[in-house]
Amino acid sequence: MVSGANASYYKFLFIFLVVAYTIERGMKTGMTIAIGSSAIILSLDLFLYNLKGVNPYFQSDIALAAMYIVIAWILGYYSKLEREHIEELKRYVNIDGLTGVYNHRYFHEALKAECEMGQKKKWPLSLIMLDIDYFKIYNDVYGHQQGDEILKQVALIIKEKFLESDHVCRYGGDEFAVVLPKTDRDAAIQSADNLRKYIADYDFPGRELLPDRSFTVSIGVAELLDENDTALELINRADAALYRAKFFKRNRVELYASIFDQFNSLKSASGAGMTSVKSLITVINSRDSYTYNHTERVVLYCQVFADYIGMDSNDKMLLIYGAYLHDIGKINVSKSTLISDRPLSTEEWEEMKRHPRDSSEIIRQMDGLGAIVDIVLQHHEKFDGTGYPEGLKGEEIHPLARILTLADSFDAMTAGRPYQNCRSYEEAFSEIRRCSGTHFDPDLTEPFIAAINKSI
């Protein structure tokens, strides 16, 4: 208008609006800008030209208006193609090439985003971790090609059994994960169990050669806790529940249960004492996750053994609590020693050897836990008297401490550390038999091995 309205030489400047909006917003917005721009300049030509005869401005501006629309259409078309290609590339980046479900990379991104949204909106969020039982056996018998076909079928079944809003992902190998927004743990457990039953009954080719003559899956379930919970902690809990499901004969669903949950039934301990125990366990976990996870597994082995031999319920309770607290004295061990990735030096080893006595002293100060002091104190004693801290021998060692020694040693052998090779169960059993009567109570070694064998 300043430069002459309908007679202006700068009407072409609308082209920059058309180009910019079309590239940024797409064809629909670009066409809207083009048509609006055309309407403005043509309206000026019609209403402001008052001479008789042909309107030269209107004639020339029709071509300009047409150019706006054509440019918007062409740019919009190619902009649309570009966006489609970008979406396709994103899909390839996020989709597992074999199974067609989301991949490991997408899983972590989606879980983090859903955790943040759940905490912000106060929505429940659950995570399912699923592992195919005996998949290695199937691969060895039928080959990897047929194994890949099974993975595709399992992935398709999982996708069919969950909502589109759920995120079905291949976590790695024969393991899958499902992120369930707005789903509490009870609903997640029900969905997981329905999936487990369906897969167990599904007529997969070659299942007759597998144990129980069927394809089965083990499933772990965990739920987002509070605003301080993280995606990584949720994964660790679901993975721990999956480990438990695999350990207990597979083909089952396990909900994660924390150490803290186990103490809720300990009525004799004071509330203040339990708060202190929980605080110490939390600190140990933050300093050395191996010790925390080791404790979980040792408890599991103790539970299995106690059930196998039909242990009295009171003794079982004492054994379980002793297993939970046997390493609590490591709170006094330096972090560098706890997380060392090399064999311990003499000084570091002497520091580590103090933890049974430190554990027992911590427990001794807490009301209601006096009955497990000796169990914890003696869990590194050896049957031949060469253990520590007191060099007790044979029947001098608390009976439950002798069981705890077996469970503790078995996990140390099979879990491994950075400076120590992980042994197979059979290798660990051989070592236990070799040390029967020296390190371990000879009356307990075979029952312990049988209990573990029955459970795996």
Side-chain angles (χ1 to χ4, degrees):
M1 295 299 291
V2 172
S3 61
N6 62 315
S8 173
Y9 291 104
Y10 301 105
K11 297 173 186 175
F12 70 89
L13 291 177
F14 279 110
I15 196 72
F16 296 107
L17 285 177
V18 174
V19 170
Y21 275 95
T22 304
I23 292 174
E24 181 68 23
R25 304 288 179 85
M27 182 187 292
K28 186 175 180 181
T29 301
M31 289 294 285
T32 302
I33 297 295
I35 292 170
S37 302
S38 300
I40 290 172
I41 62 173
L42 293 175
S43 298
L44 290 174
D45 293 337
L46 289 174
F47 292 110
L48 297 181
Y49 186 78
N50 50 19
L51 300 178
K52 291 182 179 181
V54 177
N55 186 334
Y57 300 114
F58 187 81
Q59 276 186 314
S60 61
D61 288 344
I62 286 177
L64 189 59
M67 184 179 70
Y68 292 162
I69 293 171
V70 170
I71 288 175
W73 186 87
I74 293 173
L75 278 179
Y77 176 76
Y78 284 105
S79 187
K80 179 184 176 184
L81 284 181
E82 180 193 30
R83 284 177 169 81
E84 288 176 352
H85 282 305
I86 289 173
E87 289 302 317
E88 187 73 7
L89 289 172
K90 284 182 179 178
R91 194 180 75 81
Y92 282 125
V93 167
N94 291 327
I95 297 296
D96 177 62
L98 175 65
T99 61
V101 298
Y102 291 116
N103 59 20
H104 187 91
R105 173 185 176 277
Y106 175 87
F107 165 74
H108 285 284
E109 291 180 353
L111 182 61
K112 182 180 178 182
E114 293 292 356
C115 284
E116 291 173 354
M117 182 61 70
Q119 290 164 336
K120 180 180 178 181
K121 299 288 188 179
K122 306 298 182 184
W123 289 337
L125 174 71
S126 295
L127 175 62
I128 289 175
M129 300 286 280
L130 176 151
D131 187 86
I132 302 175
D133 298 329
Y134 304 111
F135 186 70
K136 185 178 183 303
I137 295 176
Y138 189 89
N139 259 347
D140 290 343
V141 173
Y142 293 102
H144 291 283
Q145 264 192 323
Q146 187 59 34
D148 287 348
E149 292 302 316
I150 293 296
L151 288 175
K152 292 178 186 177
Q153 291 182 53
V154 171
L156 185 61
I157 290 171
I158 298 173
K159 284 184 71 174
E160 290 174 348
K161 292 299 177 183
F162 290 95
L163 303 174
E164 281 191 21
S165 58
D166 300 328
H167 307 274
V168 178
C169 311
R170 185 182 179 195
Y171 192 70
D174 60 339
E175 194 169 346
F176 294 85
V178 186
V179 183
L180 303 172
K182 301 181 185 179
T183 305
D184 62 23
R185 65 180 187 179
D186 293 331
I189 290 170
Q190 186 61 56
S191 298
D193 201 47
N194 291 339
L195 175 64
R196 179 194 64 80
K197 292 175 182 176
Y198 186 87
I199 291 177
D201 293 335
Y202 193 87
D203 189 20
F204 290 100
R207 67 177 186 165
E208 62 276 359
L209 293 182
L210 293 174
D212 301 326
R213 302 178 66 83
S214 67
F215 244 99
T216 60
V217 294
S218 298
I219 302 176
V221 178
E223 185 179 29
L224 188 68
L225 299 179
D226 52 36
E227 64 276 5
N228 296 318
D229 203 4
T230 66
L232 182 59
E233 289 171 350
L234 180 58
I235 293 170
N236 288 337
R237 293 198 301 275
D239 199 48
L242 173 60
Y243 176 86
R244 188 180 179 89
K246 296 287 284 187
F247 185 83
F248 282 120
K249 290 192 165 182
R250 302 173 171 85
N251 189 24
R252 62 188 291 133
V253 176
E254 283 288 330
L255 174 68
Y256 175 80
S258 73
I259 288 177
F260 298 158
D261 295 335
Q262 299 290 332
F263 282 114
N264 290 338
S265 60
L266 189 57
K267 305 298 184 184
S268 58
S270 68
M274 282 300 95
T275 299
S276 300
V277 167
K278 293 176 182 181
S279 298
L280 288 172
I281 292 174
T282 301
V283 171
I284 289 174
N285 185 33
S286 68
R287 298 177 73 220
D288 178 25
S289 60
Y290 172 85
T291 298
Y292 184 85
N293 294 327
H294 162 75
T295 298
E296 291 269 11
R297 294 189 296 268
V298 170
V299 169
L300 188 61
Y301 298 139
C302 288
Q303 287 176 324
V304 166
F305 181 77
D307 292 337
Y308 179 78
I309 65 172
M311 185 180 290
D312 170 81
S313 59
N314 185 63
D315 284 344
K316 179 181 176 181
M317 182 191 74
L318 294 177
L319 176 62
I320 298 305
Y321 291 139
Y324 272 126
L325 300 175
H326 75 284
D327 278 343
I328 203 168
K330 288 184 179 179
I331 192 73
N332 295 329
V333 178
S334 65
K335 188 171 182 178
S336 60
T337 299
L338 280 177
I339 64 173
S340 175
D341 59 356
R342 54 175 174 72
L344 301 181
S345 66
T346 302
E347 294 76 15
E348 290 172 331
W349 180 239
E350 288 301 319
E351 181 185 14
M352 185 69 80
K353 285 171 66 175
R354 291 199 298 267
H355 83 269
R357 193 176 297 281
D358 289 345
S359 297
S360 65
E361 288 303 318
I362 291 171
I363 296 167
R364 199 187 305 275
Q365 307 304 316
M366 299 178 182
D367 296 337
L369 296 178
I372 65 172
V373 169
D374 285 344
I375 302 172
V376 170
L377 176 65
Q378 299 170 14
H379 75 275
H380 276 295
E381 300 288 357
K382 295 183 180 180
F383 200 74
D384 63 0
T386 60
Y388 62 90
E390 298 182 334
L392 301 179
K393 182 178 181 180
E395 299 298 321
E396 296 173 347
I397 306 169
H398 194 291
L400 298 181
R402 286 177 247 157
I403 298 172
L404 180 54
T405 299
L406 269 166
D408 186 50
S409 300
F410 178 73
D411 184 71
M413 286 186 276
T414 55
R417 297 299 304 258
Y419 54 80
Q420 174 182 298
N421 291 331
C422 178
R423 303 188 190 188
S424 68
Y425 278 19
E426 288 304 321
E427 289 172 335
F429 293 153
S430 296
E431 183 66 12
I432 288 174
R433 289 190 175 103
R434 188 182 72 81
C435 297
S436 180
T438 55
H439 192 155
F440 308 114
D441 184 338
D443 294 333
L444 297 176
T445 52
E446 289 304 325
F448 180 83
I449 292 171
I452 301 299
N453 267 325
K454 185 179 178 181
S455 298
I456 59 177

